Amino acid sequence: MPEWDKEVDLLVAGSGAAALAAAVTGSHEGLKVLVVESTDMWGGTTAISGGGLWMPGHPGMEALGKQDSEEAVLRYMEETIGDVGPASSLERRKAFIRGVPRVYRLLESLGLEWAPSKDYPDYYPDKPGGMAGGRSIEAQPFDAKRLGDDAATWRTADMLPPIPIKTDDVWLISRAWSTSDGFIRGAKFFFRTMGGLVTGKKLYGLGGGYTGALMRIVKDQGTEVMLSSPVTALIKERDAVVGAEVTTPSGMLRVKASKGVVLGTGGFARNKEWRLENHGIEGYTSAPEGDVGSGIQVGIDAGGDVALMDDAWWGASVPDPEGKDAQFLVAERSMPFTIFVDQEGRRFTNESASYIDVGHDILEHHRTVPTIPCWMIIDRRHRHRYLFNAFLTGTKKYKEAGILVEADTLEELASELGMDPKVLTSTVERFNGFARAGVDEDFERGRTAYDNYYGDPTVHPNPNLGTLEKGPFQAVQVVPGDLGTKGGLLTDEHARVISTKGAPIPGLYASGNATASVMGRTYPGAGSTIGPATVFGYLAAMHAASRP
């Protein structure tokens, strides 16, 4: 029997942003590329994500009247990330920043249409180097019909209806029936949707728009994509990776990869054993099936080191009554007329802060006071004015599961939740005083441009603070959900996997949630997962192409 069943230049494992960016780049550099995906659906976590990319210094900023610089971005990253070890070394930060305009222009030249999220601020815009908008981008809505038969195995189309919404729409549409600018954006979105229908298009936005456009490029380049085909082992000669064993529905293939193997296989959000070991909880993730750490494991088996395994892209979420995907909370928790309280009825966080900070606060507070789950206490004005994504299809099943509780008074609500009514009412009275004054003296909610982004400008004096005094009141159960995990294989500025001995493993690359994030333990801006995944996927393929 021959030693190899298949021979390519670059083998790419996965089919989300990291993997597809690597595949597109490798093919563009003249390499023969093979993409293998472990599940029967392509697109990865990116396909069902918000689809934003944090791309500081991208070429489209000039048209927005924004000026950025490497120095400003580095200052901001240092202020927000700090020292978390080699996963976010100065070299990796510089590689990310310098790679942004290169991959932006490459994908644009191959047909991807970028859309700026011009108003979306960095998550810490008040820190040195931060910006109040312009660094985040996304792809324009994509017509699924352009994918042909591949649309049938696209994770976006499998899980979501064709809606051409963009990340830059969400903050306004969430208050479409309570503010004039929200109504106008809602109308634009409506006509964009109708325009697609009238012209016979099936338009998908957010992560669908990005993965759809990337896969169209991959197919235009003639790259083969194999589904239900995980990489189960890496093949090494001496210390270098030269190929991999790929388990397909028809059997195992030994694939030679003369330039290297790129692992863009995602994290381990669906691996309950790893979650318990590293996070202490099984997890309430929004990541799709298949996110079980398989790529990380084969990298470890090949001698790769790991870092940041104890962290994730956390965020407050509403658990699903049937135990399925948790519903991530973004605008809902930040709008006025609501607060978070622990199981004793006390606030513990800035509800409008970056979702990862709120997630960290839930986990940290739970060490001393039961906070998993905690509760989102809601005045009826909140439910009347603002979109609540988890309840778009109704509230019956949430009420039956005890996830949504309603009462006419705060005292009755506290009793329903097993709290001392005096504690909850005291918490609300204190918060109401802050809302009337416009200053949250406990957690500084509503102080920054990011907080205000998901606020209501018609509420004064602070768009994020509204009193809780009009019943009936509701309480929604909240858990520390996530968009995926942060820890994984340790990589360098070329996306090469670093061995436990501290040196790069020749021929082995990784990007995305399969790696320890260059963003460390924080979330500098919208798209801090997909932006670096795309850039380091690009850098991995570029370095692989340069290998002799």
Coordinates of all heavy atoms in Angstrom, one line a residue, residues 52-116:
G52 N -18.9 39.9 13.5 CA -18.0 41.1 13.5 C -16.5 40.7 13.7 O -16.2 39.6 14.2
L53 N -15.7 41.6 13.1 CA -14.2 41.4 13.2 C -13.6 42.7 13.8 O -13.9 43.7 13.3 CB -13.6 41.1 11.9 CG -13.9 39.9 11.1 CD1 -15.2 40.0 10.3 CD2 -12.8 39.5 10.1
W54 N -12.9 42.5 14.9 CA -12.2 43.7 15.4 C -10.9 43.8 14.6 O -10.0 43.0 14.8 CB -11.9 43.5 16.9 CG -11.4 44.8 17.6 CD1 -12.1 45.9 17.7 CD2 -10.2 45.0 18.2 NE1 -11.4 46.9 18.4 CE2 -10.2 46.4 18.7 CE3 -9.0 44.3 18.4 CZ2 -9.1 47.0 19.3 CZ3 -7.9 44.9 19.0 CH2 -8.0 46.2 19.5
M55 N -10.8 44.8 13.8 CA -9.7 45.0 12.8 C -9.2 46.4 12.9 O -9.4 47.2 12.0 CB -10.2 44.6 11.4 CG -10.7 43.2 11.2 SD -9.5 42.0 11.1 CE -9.3 41.9 9.3
P56 N -8.5 46.7 14.0 CA -7.9 48.1 14.2 C -7.0 48.4 13.0 O -6.2 47.6 12.6 CB -7.2 48.0 15.5 CG -6.9 46.6 15.7 CD -8.0 45.8 15.1
G57 N -7.1 49.6 12.5 CA -6.3 50.1 11.5 C -6.6 49.6 10.1 O -5.8 49.7 9.1
H58 N -7.8 49.0 9.9 CA -8.2 48.5 8.6 C -8.3 49.6 7.6 O -8.6 50.8 7.9 CB -9.5 47.7 8.7 CG -10.7 48.5 9.1 ND1 -11.5 49.2 8.2 CD2 -11.4 48.7 10.3 CE1 -12.5 49.9 8.7 NE2 -12.4 49.6 10.0
P59 N -8.1 49.3 6.3 CA -8.1 50.3 5.3 C -9.4 51.1 5.1 O -9.4 52.2 4.6 CB -7.8 49.5 4.0 CG -7.1 48.3 4.5 CD -7.7 48.0 5.8
G60 N -10.6 50.6 5.6 CA -11.8 51.3 5.5 C -12.0 52.4 6.5 O -13.0 53.2 6.3
M61 N -11.1 52.5 7.4 CA -11.3 53.5 8.4 C -11.2 55.0 7.9 O -11.8 55.9 8.4 CB -10.3 53.3 9.6 CG -10.5 52.1 10.4 SD -9.5 52.0 11.9 CE -10.2 53.2 12.9
E62 N -10.3 55.1 6.9 CA -10.1 56.5 6.3 C -11.4 57.0 5.7 O -11.8 58.2 5.9 CB -9.1 56.4 5.2 CG -8.7 57.8 4.6 CD -7.6 57.7 3.6 OE1 -7.0 56.7 3.5 OE2 -7.4 58.7 2.9
A63 N -12.2 56.2 5.1 CA -13.5 56.6 4.5 C -14.5 57.0 5.6 O -15.4 57.8 5.4 CB -14.1 55.5 3.7
L64 N -14.3 56.5 6.9 CA -15.1 56.9 8.0 C -14.7 58.2 8.7 O -15.3 58.6 9.6 CB -15.2 55.7 9.0 CG -15.7 54.4 8.5 CD1 -15.5 53.4 9.7 CD2 -17.1 54.5 8.1
G65 N -13.5 58.7 8.2 CA -13.0 59.9 8.8 C -12.2 59.5 10.1 O -12.1 60.4 11.0
K66 N -11.8 58.3 10.3 CA -11.1 57.8 11.5 C -9.6 57.6 11.2 O -9.3 57.1 10.1 CB -11.7 56.5 11.9 CG -13.2 56.5 12.2 CD -13.5 57.0 13.6 CE -15.0 56.9 13.9 NZ -15.4 57.3 15.2
Q67 N -8.8 58.0 12.1 CA -7.4 57.7 12.0 C -7.0 56.8 13.1 O -7.3 57.0 14.3 CB -6.6 59.1 12.1 CG -6.8 60.0 10.9 CD -5.9 61.2 10.9 OE1 -5.5 61.6 12.0 NE2 -5.7 61.8 9.8
D68 N -6.2 55.8 12.8 CA -5.7 54.8 13.7 C -4.2 54.7 13.5 O -3.6 55.1 12.5 CB -6.4 53.5 13.5 CG -6.5 52.7 14.8 OD1 -5.9 53.1 15.8 OD2 -7.3 51.7 14.8
S69 N -3.5 54.1 14.5 CA -2.1 53.9 14.3 C -1.7 52.6 15.1 O -2.4 52.2 16.1 CB -1.3 55.1 14.9 OG -1.4 55.2 16.3
E70 N -0.6 52.0 14.7 CA -0.1 50.9 15.4 C 0.2 51.2 16.9 O -0.1 50.4 17.8 CB 1.2 50.4 14.8 CG 1.8 49.1 15.5 CD 3.0 48.5 14.7 OE1 2.9 48.3 13.5 OE2 4.0 48.3 15.4
E71 N 0.8 52.4 17.1 CA 1.1 52.8 18.5 C -0.2 52.9 19.4 O -0.2 52.4 20.5 CB 1.8 54.2 18.5 CG 3.2 54.2 17.8 CD 3.1 54.1 16.3 OE1 2.1 54.4 15.7 OE2 4.2 53.6 15.7
A72 N -1.2 53.5 18.8 CA -2.5 53.6 19.6 C -3.1 52.2 19.9 O -3.6 52.0 21.0 CB -3.5 54.4 18.8
V73 N -3.0 51.3 18.9 CA -3.6 50.0 19.1 C -2.8 49.2 20.2 O -3.3 48.6 21.1 CB -3.7 49.2 17.8 CG1 -4.4 47.9 18.1 CG2 -4.5 50.0 16.8
L74 N -1.5 49.3 20.0 CA -0.6 48.6 21.0 C -0.8 49.2 22.4 O -0.9 48.4 23.4 CB 0.9 48.8 20.6 CG 1.3 47.9 19.5 CD1 2.8 48.3 19.1 CD2 1.3 46.4 19.8
R75 N -1.0 50.5 22.5 CA -1.2 51.1 23.8 C -2.5 50.6 24.4 O -2.6 50.2 25.6 CB -1.3 52.6 23.7 CG -1.6 53.4 25.0 CD -0.4 53.5 25.9 NE -0.8 54.2 27.2 CZ -0.9 55.5 27.3 NH1 -0.6 56.3 26.3 NH2 -1.2 56.0 28.5
Y76 N -3.6 50.5 23.6 CA -4.9 50.1 24.0 C -4.8 48.6 24.4 O -5.4 48.2 25.4 CB -5.9 50.3 22.9 CG -7.3 49.8 23.2 CD1 -8.0 50.4 24.2 CD2 -7.9 48.7 22.5 CE1 -9.3 50.0 24.5 CE2 -9.1 48.3 22.8 CZ -9.9 48.9 23.8 OH -11.1 48.5 24.1
M77 N -4.1 47.7 23.6 CA -4.1 46.3 23.9 C -3.3 46.1 25.2 O -3.7 45.3 26.1 CB -3.4 45.6 22.8 CG -4.2 45.5 21.5 SD -3.5 44.6 20.2 CE -3.8 42.9 20.7
E78 N -2.3 46.9 25.5 CA -1.5 46.8 26.7 C -2.4 47.2 27.9 O -2.4 46.6 29.0 CB -0.3 47.6 26.7 CG 0.5 47.6 28.0 CD 1.0 46.2 28.4 OE1 1.3 45.4 27.5 OE2 1.1 46.0 29.6
E79 N -3.2 48.3 27.7 CA -4.0 48.7 28.8 C -5.2 47.7 29.1 O -5.5 47.6 30.3 CB -4.7 50.1 28.4 CG -3.7 51.2 28.4 CD -3.4 51.8 29.7 OE1 -4.1 51.5 30.7 OE2 -2.3 52.4 29.9
T80 N -5.7 47.1 28.1 CA -6.8 46.2 28.3 C -6.4 44.8 28.6 O -7.1 44.1 29.4 CB -7.8 46.3 27.1 OG1 -7.1 45.9 25.9 CG2 -8.4 47.6 27.0
I81 N -5.4 44.3 28.0 CA -5.0 42.9 28.1 C -4.0 42.7 29.2 O -4.1 41.7 30.0 CB -4.4 42.4 26.7 CG1 -5.5 42.5 25.6 CG2 -4.0 40.9 26.9 CD1 -5.0 42.3 24.2
G82 N -3.0 43.6 29.2 CA -1.9 43.4 30.2 C -1.0 42.2 29.9 O -0.9 41.8 28.7
D83 N -0.3 41.7 30.9 CA 0.6 40.6 30.7 C 0.0 39.3 31.0 O -0.3 39.0 32.2 CB 1.8 40.8 31.6 CG 2.9 39.8 31.4 OD1 2.7 38.9 30.5 OD2 3.9 39.8 32.1
V84 N -0.3 38.5 30.0 CA -0.9 37.2 30.2 C 0.0 36.1 29.7 O -0.5 35.0 29.5 CB -2.3 37.1 29.5 CG1 -3.3 38.0 30.2 CG2 -2.2 37.4 28.0
G85 N 1.2 36.4 29.5 CA 2.2 35.4 29.0 C 2.3 35.4 27.5 O 1.8 36.3 26.8
P86 N 3.0 34.4 26.9 CA 3.3 34.3 25.5 C 2.1 34.3 24.5 O 2.3 34.6 23.4 CB 4.1 33.1 25.4 CG 3.8 32.2 26.5 CD 3.5 33.2 27.6
A87 N 0.9 33.9 25.0 CA -0.3 33.9 24.1 C -0.5 35.3 23.6 O -1.0 35.4 22.4 CB -1.5 33.4 24.9
S88 N -0.2 36.3 24.3 CA -0.4 37.7 23.9 C 0.9 38.5 24.0 O 1.0 39.6 24.6 CB -1.5 38.4 24.7 OG -1.8 39.7 24.1
S89 N 1.9 37.9 23.4 CA 3.3 38.6 23.4 C 3.2 39.8 22.5 O 2.3 40.0 21.7 CB 4.3 37.6 22.9 OG 4.1 37.3 21.5
L90 N 4.2 40.7 22.7 CA 4.3 41.9 21.9 C 4.4 41.5 20.4 O 3.8 42.2 19.5 CB 5.5 42.7 22.3 CG 5.8 44.0 21.5 CD1 4.6 45.0 21.6 CD2 7.0 44.7 22.0
E91 N 5.2 40.4 20.1 CA 5.3 40.0 18.7 C 4.0 39.6 18.1 O 3.7 39.9 17.0 CB 6.4 38.8 18.7 CG 7.8 39.2 19.0 CD 8.0 39.4 20.5 OE1 7.2 38.9 21.3 OE2 9.1 40.0 20.9
R92 N 3.2 38.9 18.9 CA 1.9 38.4 18.4 C 1.0 39.6 18.2 O 0.2 39.7 17.2 CB 1.3 37.4 19.3 CG 1.8 36.0 18.9 CD 1.3 34.9 19.9 NE -0.2 34.8 20.0 CZ -1.1 34.3 19.2 NH1 -0.6 33.8 18.0 NH2 -2.3 34.3 19.4
R93 N 1.0 40.5 19.1 CA 0.2 41.7 19.0 C 0.5 42.5 17.7 O -0.3 43.0 17.0 CB 0.3 42.6 20.2 CG -0.3 42.0 21.5 CD -0.1 42.9 22.7 NE -0.5 42.1 23.9 CZ -0.4 42.6 25.1 NH1 0.0 43.9 25.3 NH2 -0.8 41.9 26.2
K94 N 1.8 42.7 17.5 CA 2.3 43.4 16.3 C 1.9 42.7 15.0 O 1.5 43.3 14.0 CB 3.8 43.7 16.4 CG 4.2 44.7 17.4 CD 5.7 44.9 17.3 CE 6.2 46.1 18.2 NZ 7.6 46.3 18.2
A95 N 2.1 41.3 15.1 CA 1.7 40.5 13.9 C 0.2 40.7 13.6 O -0.2 40.8 12.4 CB 2.1 39.1 14.1
F96 N -0.6 40.7 14.6 CA -2.0 40.9 14.4 C -2.3 42.2 13.8 O -3.0 42.3 12.7 CB -2.8 40.7 15.7 CG -4.2 41.2 15.7 CD1 -5.2 40.6 14.9 CD2 -4.6 42.3 16.4 CE1 -6.5 41.1 14.9 CE2 -5.9 42.8 16.4 CZ -6.8 42.2 15.6
I97 N -1.8 43.3 14.3 CA -2.1 44.6 13.9 C -1.6 44.8 12.4 O -2.3 45.4 11.6 CB -1.4 45.7 14.8 CG1 -2.0 45.6 16.2 CG2 -1.5 47.1 14.2 CD1 -1.2 46.4 17.2
R98 N -0.4 44.3 12.1 CA 0.2 44.5 10.8 C -0.5 43.6 9.8 O -0.5 43.8 8.5 CB 1.7 44.2 10.8 CG 2.4 45.3 11.7 CD 3.9 44.9 11.9 NE 4.5 45.9 12.8 CZ 5.7 45.8 13.3 NH1 6.5 44.8 13.0 NH2 6.2 46.8 14.1
G99 N -1.1 42.5 10.2 CA -1.8 41.6 9.3 C -3.2 42.1 8.9 O -3.7 41.6 7.9
V100 N -3.8 43.0 9.7 CA -5.1 43.4 9.4 C -5.3 44.0 8.0 O -6.1 43.5 7.2 CB -5.6 44.4 10.5 CG1 -6.8 45.2 10.0 CG2 -5.9 43.7 11.8
P101 N -4.5 45.0 7.6 CA -4.7 45.6 6.3 C -4.4 44.6 5.1 O -5.0 44.7 4.1 CB -3.8 46.8 6.2 CG -2.8 46.5 7.3 CD -3.5 45.8 8.4
R102 N -3.5 43.7 5.4 CA -3.1 42.7 4.3 C -4.3 41.7 4.1 O -4.6 41.5 2.9 CB -1.9 42.0 4.8 CG -0.6 42.9 4.8 CD 0.5 42.3 5.7 NE 1.0 41.0 5.1 CZ 1.8 40.2 5.8 NH1 2.2 40.5 7.0 NH2 2.2 39.1 5.3
V103 N -4.8 41.1 5.1 CA -5.9 40.2 4.9 C -7.2 40.9 4.4 O -8.0 40.4 3.6 CB -6.1 39.3 6.1 CG1 -6.8 40.1 7.3 CG2 -7.0 38.1 5.8
Y104 N -7.4 42.1 4.9 CA -8.6 42.9 4.5 C -8.5 43.1 3.0 O -9.5 42.9 2.3 CB -8.5 44.3 5.2 CG -9.6 45.2 4.9 CD1 -10.7 45.5 5.8 CD2 -9.6 46.0 3.7 CE1 -11.7 46.4 5.5 CE2 -10.6 46.9 3.4 CZ -11.7 47.1 4.4 OH -12.6 48.0 4.1
R105 N -7.4 43.5 2.5 CA -7.3 43.8 1.0 C -7.3 42.5 0.2 O -7.9 42.5 -0.9 CB -6.0 44.6 0.8 CG -6.0 46.0 1.3 CD -4.8 46.8 0.8 NE -4.8 48.2 1.2 CZ -4.0 48.6 2.2 NH1 -3.2 47.8 2.9 NH2 -4.1 49.9 2.6
L106 N -6.7 41.5 0.7 CA -6.8 40.2 0.0 C -8.2 39.7 -0.2 O -8.6 39.4 -1.3 CB -6.0 39.1 0.7 CG -6.1 37.7 0.2 CD1 -5.6 37.6 -1.3 CD2 -5.4 36.7 1.1
L107 N -8.9 39.6 0.9 CA -10.3 39.1 0.8 C -11.2 40.1 0.0 O -12.0 39.6 -0.8 CB -10.9 39.0 2.2 CG -10.2 37.9 3.1 CD1 -10.8 37.8 4.5 CD2 -10.3 36.5 2.4
E108 N -11.0 41.3 0.1 CA -11.7 42.3 -0.7 C -11.4 42.1 -2.2 O -12.3 42.1 -3.0 CB -11.4 43.7 -0.3 CG -12.2 44.8 -1.0 CD -11.9 46.2 -0.4 OE1 -10.7 46.6 -0.4 OE2 -12.8 46.9 0.0
S109 N -10.2 41.9 -2.5 CA -9.8 41.7 -3.9 C -10.4 40.4 -4.5 O -10.5 40.3 -5.7 CB -8.2 41.6 -4.1 OG -7.7 40.4 -3.5
L110 N -10.7 39.5 -3.6 CA -11.3 38.2 -4.1 C -12.8 38.2 -4.1 O -13.4 37.2 -4.4 CB -10.7 37.0 -3.3 CG -9.2 36.8 -3.4 CD1 -8.8 35.8 -2.4 CD2 -8.9 36.4 -4.8
G111 N -13.4 39.3 -3.8 CA -14.9 39.5 -3.9 C -15.6 39.7 -2.6 O -16.8 39.9 -2.7
L112 N -15.0 39.6 -1.4 CA -15.7 39.8 -0.2 C -16.0 41.3 0.0 O -15.1 42.1 -0.2 CB -14.9 39.3 1.0 CG -15.7 39.2 2.3 CD1 -15.2 38.0 3.1 CD2 -15.5 40.4 3.2
E113 N -17.2 41.6 0.3 CA -17.7 43.0 0.5 C -17.7 43.3 2.0 O -18.5 42.8 2.7 CB -19.0 43.2 -0.1 CG -19.1 43.0 -1.6 CD -20.5 43.3 -2.2 OE1 -21.0 44.4 -1.9 OE2 -21.1 42.4 -2.8
W114 N -16.8 44.3 2.4 CA -16.8 44.7 3.8 C -17.8 45.7 4.1 O -18.2 46.5 3.2 CB -15.4 45.2 4.1 CG -14.3 44.2 4.1 CD1 -13.2 44.2 3.2 CD2 -14.1 43.1 4.9 NE1 -12.4 43.2 3.5 CE2 -12.9 42.5 4.5 CE3 -14.8 42.5 6.0 CZ2 -12.4 41.3 5.2 CZ3 -14.3 41.4 6.6 CH2 -13.1 40.8 6.2
A115 N -18.3 45.7 5.3 CA -19.2 46.8 5.8 C -18.7 47.3 7.2 O -18.4 46.4 8.0 CB -20.6 46.2 6.0
P116 N -18.4 48.5 7.3 CA -17.9 49.0 8.6 C -19.1 49.1 9.6 O -20.2 49.4 9.3 CB -17.4 50.4 8.2 CG -18.3 50.9 7.1 CD -18.6 49.6 6.3

